[in-house]
Amino acid sequence: LESPDPTVRAQALRFLGFNGDERFADAARRATQDQDPQVRRYAVRALRWMEGFTPGADLRILLEDESAEVRHEAESLFRAKGD
């Protein structure tokens, strides 16, 4: 997640999401603030796939993200996990 390449960061988050391990939730949560919209998108998706993760109000800002894909993932996150 520290790579300068956004494609590498996005793929790392995709892997974390597939893993579903909520121990990586803090890293995924930080990645929701990445400059690259694809990284943000996969960060939100990873959070949705993590068992036991519950989104907080701080992630609601993603519902207003400039990227439609990020907004869609955020909507899916809140529908799946509630808040």
Side-chain angles (χ1 to χ4, degrees), residues 10-52:
Q11 290 303 318
L13 286 157
R14 190 169 177 220
F15 173 77
L16 291 180
F18 285 141
N19 183 303
D21 190 333
E22 115 178 67
R23 290 179 296 171
F24 301 110
D26 287 341
R29 186 183 284 269
R30 282 190 303 276
T32 65
Q33 299 174 26
D34 196 279
Q35 290 181 335
D36 187 271
Q38 289 303 321
V39 173
R40 293 194 306 275
R41 174 183 174 208
Y42 280 107
V44 176
R45 185 177 289 180
L47 291 169
R48 182 166 46 97
W49 289 341
M50 291 180 182
E51 292 289 325

Side-chain angles (χ1 to χ4, degrees), residues 54-60 78-79 81-83:
T54 303
D58 61 315
L59 294 179
R60 287 213 169 268
F78 282 100
R79 270 197 312 273
K81 302 289 187 169
D83 181 332

